[in-house]
Amino acid sequence: MTTHSTGLHQRPLGRSGLSVSEIGYGAWGIGADMWKGAQDDESLTALRRYVALGGNFIDTAMGYGNGHSERLVGQVAREHPGTLVATKISPLNRQWPAAPATTADQAYPGEYLIRMTDESLARLGLDTIDVQQLHVWNDSWLGQGDWQDAVTQLKRDGKVRAFGISVNDHQPHNAVAAVEAGAVDSVQVIYNVFDQSPQDRLLDACHAHGVGVIVRVALDEGSLTGTLTADTTFPEGDWRNGYFGGNRLTELQPRLRAIEQDLGIRTDGLAETSLRFVLSHPAVSTVIVGMRSVRNVERNAALADGQGLPAEQVQKLHAHRWDRNWYRPAE
């Protein structure tokens, strides 16, 4: 295994025994279905650059480009042994997020978990998945169905090292029971300057129970990069047309200016400040960022230096919490 003197700072993924780079690689965008414009050669170059800089944690899913993202990730992970791969199992009933009435057996019967893990391993070309996750979750599934037996078997068979859940959008409270019950090694959750709701209960519960926290959407799907203006447009078929639909891009601008003014930063400092805000919470193990270009990889990897934000800036950012759900269609 190659060691890199300029490696990214690592943190433990809870009590899983895995050590992960503070900045992880989010591989949704390179699936090239819902994010338009991804080119495989550019995606592979960006992935390889991330690993060359000392990054060791790549998060993908069977549902990203119908397995396409997993194939690309597997290619790079095989070239660089020691790269940790996390993936996710789509629910059998294909419901995102899980409806409250959905049972564990409708979403994740045990034999389905095992079969999908085998299929992901085949696409990745690996013997073991470092972190296998359920792509949706309901706390009501604890003790329901046979999915927990399947997880035990997958670990026993050496197919999975750690097991986690990816929490439904803006529902961090809907994983606290799983964390407290010791049913998971990691939780993946939306956490950013605007959506600070995981601070209410989930992050403290994870910290107390030794559960790793994988943060997604730390840049609020791009809004906290400061590069989106009221006039930004997205390619046809790109899912962000919905997320930033209606007058949301216009609504966003004064919020960004207020953060800049409050912290005395420029627009081009928003992304770094936003990522460091998330990394400042002691429960957080890693922040996965979508990085489809080498430029983005280099810019974000530079932040994995073990330094959060000064406490005074974190405190100021607490005032910029903005509770809203843009995954729902604009009015």
Side-chain angles (χ1 to χ4, degrees):
M1 178 180 161
T2 322
T3 53
H4 305 275
S5 55
T6 54
L8 282 62
H9 187 262
Q10 295 185 357
R11 300 180 177 197
L13 186 69
R15 295 189 191 130
S16 69
L18 301 174
S19 216
V20 295
S21 307
E22 282 186 329
I23 298 285
Y25 189 106
W28 179 22
I30 67 173
D33 56 348
M34 293 174 75
W35 294 76
K36 300 302 174 190
Q39 303 293 329
D40 286 356
D41 53 352
E42 190 185 9
S43 299
L44 287 167
T45 303
L47 272 168
R48 288 183 181 118
R49 184 67 182 135
Y50 169 73
V51 176
L53 289 169
N56 80 337
F57 186 73
I58 305 174
D59 177 86
T60 182
M62 64 180 258
Y64 296 167
N66 204 16
H68 187 65
S69 173
E70 282 184 327
R71 289 186 189 94
L72 295 177
V73 168
Q75 193 176 328
V76 173
R78 292 193 308 273
E79 292 167 5
H80 302 275
T83 302
L84 303 177
V85 174
T87 191
K88 306 179 205 77
I89 304 173
S90 306
L92 174 63
N93 62 0
R94 294 298 188 267
Q95 256 192 354
W96 270 273
T102 300
T103 65
D105 278 341
Q106 287 170 330
Y108 290 113
E111 63 81 26
Y112 170 75
L113 247 70
I114 291 168
R115 192 158 40 91
M116 291 304 105
T117 299
D118 286 338
E119 289 185 13
S120 282
L121 284 167
R123 282 189 294 269
L124 290 161
L126 299 171
D127 297 325
T128 306
I129 291 165
D130 297 292
V131 187
Q132 178 62 291
Q133 304 160 96
L134 302 184
H135 211 154
V136 299
W137 177 251
N138 264 346
D139 259 347
S140 62
W141 297 345
L142 270 179
Q144 230 189 59
D146 59 353
W147 65 271
Q148 282 175 279
D149 297 334
V151 171
T152 303
Q153 187 181 328
L154 286 166
K155 285 184 171 181
R156 195 174 55 227
D157 294 346
K159 292 177 180 177
V160 167
R161 289 174 71 185
F163 171 77
I165 52 180
S166 183
V167 186
N168 302 341
D169 301 335
H170 307 304
Q171 292 183 21
H173 55 284
N174 186 11
V176 173
V179 167
E180 291 177 343
V184 293
D185 301 303
S186 67
V187 164
Q188 184 173 140
V189 65
I190 292 175
Y191 177 43
N192 58 53
V193 170
F194 292 145
D195 185 354
Q196 299 182 28
S197 56
Q199 289 171 184
D200 299 343
R201 283 177 67 201
L202 180 65
L203 295 180
D204 289 342
C206 289
H207 202 42
H209 292 271
V211 171
V213 175
I214 301 165
V215 170
R216 70 179 190 269
V217 198
L219 296 174
D220 186 40
E221 306 296 11
S223 85
L224 285 162
T225 61
T227 57
L228 304 181
T229 67
D231 305 319
T232 299
T233 57
F234 303 100
E236 197 180 334
D238 191 299
W239 77 279
R240 287 170 295 179
N241 284 307
Y243 191 81
F244 294 110
N247 64 350
R248 287 171 176 174
L249 283 171
T250 304
E251 208 182 328
L252 170 70
Q253 303 310 314
R255 298 273 182 172
L256 298 178
R257 301 298 85 79
I259 293 170
E260 292 162 12
Q261 198 172 352
D262 211 1
L263 271 74
I265 59 170
R266 297 188 337 195
T267 300
D268 61 10
L270 273 171
E272 175 174 348
T273 299
S274 300
L275 290 172
R276 288 195 187 278
F277 168 78
V278 169
L279 287 167
S280 295
H281 198 289
V284 172
S285 309
T286 183
V287 178
I288 50 173
V289 191
M291 302 179 276
R292 292 190 289 177
S293 68
V294 167
R295 189 175 60 91
N296 285 349
V297 168
E298 290 174 345
R299 193 178 60 210
N300 293 325
L303 306 182
D305 55 11
Q307 306 296 310
L309 281 181
E312 168 207 5
Q313 290 199 335
V314 171
Q315 207 51 48
K316 282 183 175 174
L317 285 168
H318 285 161
H320 294 274
R321 179 167 171 163
W322 183 12
D323 291 318
R324 41 106 168 126
N325 186 354
W326 282 4
Y327 294 104
R328 293 201 187 107
E331 297 297 309

